[in-house]
Amino acid sequence: MAQTAKKENFIQWFIRKWKSSPIFSTGCVLVLMVILQTVALGFRDASFGAWLQRWGKNWINILRNNAGVGIVALGMTFVIISGGIDLAVGSTMTAVGAVLMVIINGYPTGLLTSVGITGPWAYVIGIAAALVVGSLVGVINGSLIAYRKLPPFIVTLGMMKICRSVTQQCMQKVSVKVPAGFLAIANTKIGGETILPILYWLVLALVLHIVSRHTPFGRRIYAIGSNERTARLSGIHVERVKTWIYILMGALVAVTAVIQVARIGSMDYANAGSGYEMDAIAAVVVGGTSMSGGKGSIGGTVLGMLIIAVMNNLLNLMGVPPFLREAFKGAIVIVAVLLQRKEK
């Protein structure tokens, strides 16, 4: 009887934590996904050490391949907590990447190379320009949404089309070569592995977690998302805060563009960043952030991004046909969100 009562108490505790804590429920889903992924990876190695090495390399590949969209998801967390949305992140990344490559172009006719500026100074100028362009897109989005009262969906949808089409038009006849030195920003090995993109993601996640939980700016984001009218009556300059949220989003997209250009050394203007907005939104929602605003966390988004990343890898390991993977991902995301329904 005592054992039964203890088991019932544990079940009650588990259900209560599942309903009340997004971090707990997201973590449970992640553990389940990791177990499924481990089983799919197989145990065919000659020794446990060999299996552990293969398992570790697989995880490094997962994290490195998803670090870019993970950084975008961090900014999307703030946007959604405030009650907004940003559909332009993928196209903005393409535009910012194009500007960056034009500036650091290694050909003799390159923008900086032609005036004798090469090496680290060229990289610093290029990265600064990328951050400015990304932030400028954020200023435009934020101003139209906050001051002109346009719906975030419409504004960012329009910006998505503008950035992608203008970039493709302007880069039709432009030849760029990313200098080898710039590639070190993302491809320098630490301990024999290329993990810099992962470290950038984790450091930004830590910084933004502190911002969200321990600064006035973070508290104002939650206040606006919970009740914009009350926040305004409390003395919060709602329009200014909203604009800064989208500026931060643009800057994080620029960081992602820098990492992507440094990783690959090029940019596919037609397809680069395609789907980033959907994966980022999925990670944020799976991580427990409410689409109606006012509720969410950076920690939950990191766990949600890991679930999406493991899901992608699991589908690949299971041999799911490429054309069906998006359908499976969509179904799993919906199920994950349904399983995380919380009590109000």
Side-chain angles (χ1 to χ4, degrees):
M1 293 295 292
Q3 290 181 347
T4 303
K6 185 176 181 180
K7 183 178 180 180
E8 288 176 351
N9 288 337
F10 172 77
I11 293 174
Q12 291 172 355
W13 171 83
F14 185 89
I15 293 174
R16 176 176 56 81
K17 290 289 290 183
W18 180 278
K19 290 182 177 180
S20 63
S21 174
I23 294 292
F24 179 82
S25 54
T26 305
C28 290
V29 174
L30 178 59
V31 169
L32 176 61
M33 296 294 293
V34 170
I35 293 173
L36 293 174
Q37 179 218 18
T38 302
V39 172
L41 193 61
F43 303 92
R44 60 183 181 274
D45 302 272
S47 65
F48 176 76
W51 174 85
L52 188 62
Q53 183 178 19
R54 183 165 63 92
W55 188 84
K57 285 185 176 294
N58 183 62
W59 261 103
I60 290 175
N61 289 334
I62 291 173
L63 295 175
R64 182 174 59 241
N65 292 337
N66 290 275
V69 70
I71 292 173
V72 172
L74 298 177
M76 192 70 76
T77 305
F78 282 8
V79 170
I80 293 179
I81 289 175
S82 71
I85 199 75
D86 192 344
L87 302 178
V89 291
S91 298
T92 302
M93 190 196 78
T94 303
V96 171
V99 171
L100 172 64
M101 289 192 296
V102 167
I103 292 175
I104 65 172
N105 191 353
Y107 285 124
T109 55
L111 189 63
L112 293 181
T113 305
S114 61
V115 295
I117 302 177
T118 59
W121 280 112
Y123 309 156
V124 170
I125 294 172
I127 292 172
L131 290 171
V132 169
V133 172
S135 299
L136 181 60
V137 173
V139 169
I140 296 171
N141 288 338
S143 298
L144 291 174
I145 292 167
Y147 290 97
R148 303 304 299 176
K149 310 300 181 185
L150 297 180
F153 180 90
I154 299 300
V155 172
T156 57
L157 180 63
M159 186 60 71
M160 176 178 71
K161 297 296 185 182
I162 292 170
C163 287
R164 181 79 65 181
S165 60
V166 170
T167 301
Q168 289 179 284
Q169 176 65 30
C170 293
M171 298 300 292
Q172 283 187 94
K173 300 180 180 179
V174 179
S175 298
V176 294
K177 175 185 177 183
V178 177
F182 189 82
L183 303 180
I185 293 175
N187 294 308
T188 299
K189 292 188 175 182
I190 299 176
E193 297 292 344
T194 307
I195 61 172
L196 279 178
I198 304 172
L199 296 180
Y200 297 146
W201 175 29
L202 296 179
V203 169
L204 285 171
L206 178 60
V207 171
L208 292 177
H209 170 74
I210 294 172
V211 169
S212 67
R213 295 298 185 183
H214 303 288
T215 67
F217 178 67
R219 289 190 289 271
R220 288 166 185 162
I221 293 173
Y222 283 95
I224 291 172
S226 297
N227 192 314
E228 185 173 321
R229 183 172 181 273
T230 301
R232 195 185 305 277
L233 293 174
S234 300
I236 296 175
H237 196 307
V238 173
E239 289 77 16
R240 184 184 301 162
V241 174
K242 279 189 174 184
T243 302
W244 275 107
I245 291 170
Y246 283 92
I247 292 174
L248 175 62
M249 180 79 260
L252 290 172
V253 170
V255 171
T256 302
V258 171
I259 295 172
Q260 293 298 93
V261 170
R263 273 194 64 202
I264 304 172
S266 63
M267 182 74 72
D268 180 357
Y269 309 119
N271 299 306
S274 179
Y276 269 38
E277 55 282 337
M278 292 299 104
D279 280 351
I281 292 170
V284 173
V285 174
V286 169
T289 298
S290 171
M291 287 297 292
S292 59
K295 181 180 180 181
S297 68
I298 292 294
T301 294
V302 171
L303 293 179
M305 189 66 249
L306 290 175
I307 289 174
I308 301 299
V310 172
M311 182 194 311
N312 290 334
N313 183 249
L314 180 60
L315 293 174
N316 184 50
L317 291 173
M318 293 172 62
V320 176
F323 293 112
L324 290 178
R325 288 176 191 173
E326 294 301 316
F328 274 91
K329 285 168 57 179
I332 294 173
V333 168
I334 292 173
V335 171
V337 173
L338 287 174
L339 290 173
Q340 295 182 54
R341 294 176 65 184
K342 307 296 183 292
E343 292 180 341
K344 292 185 179 180

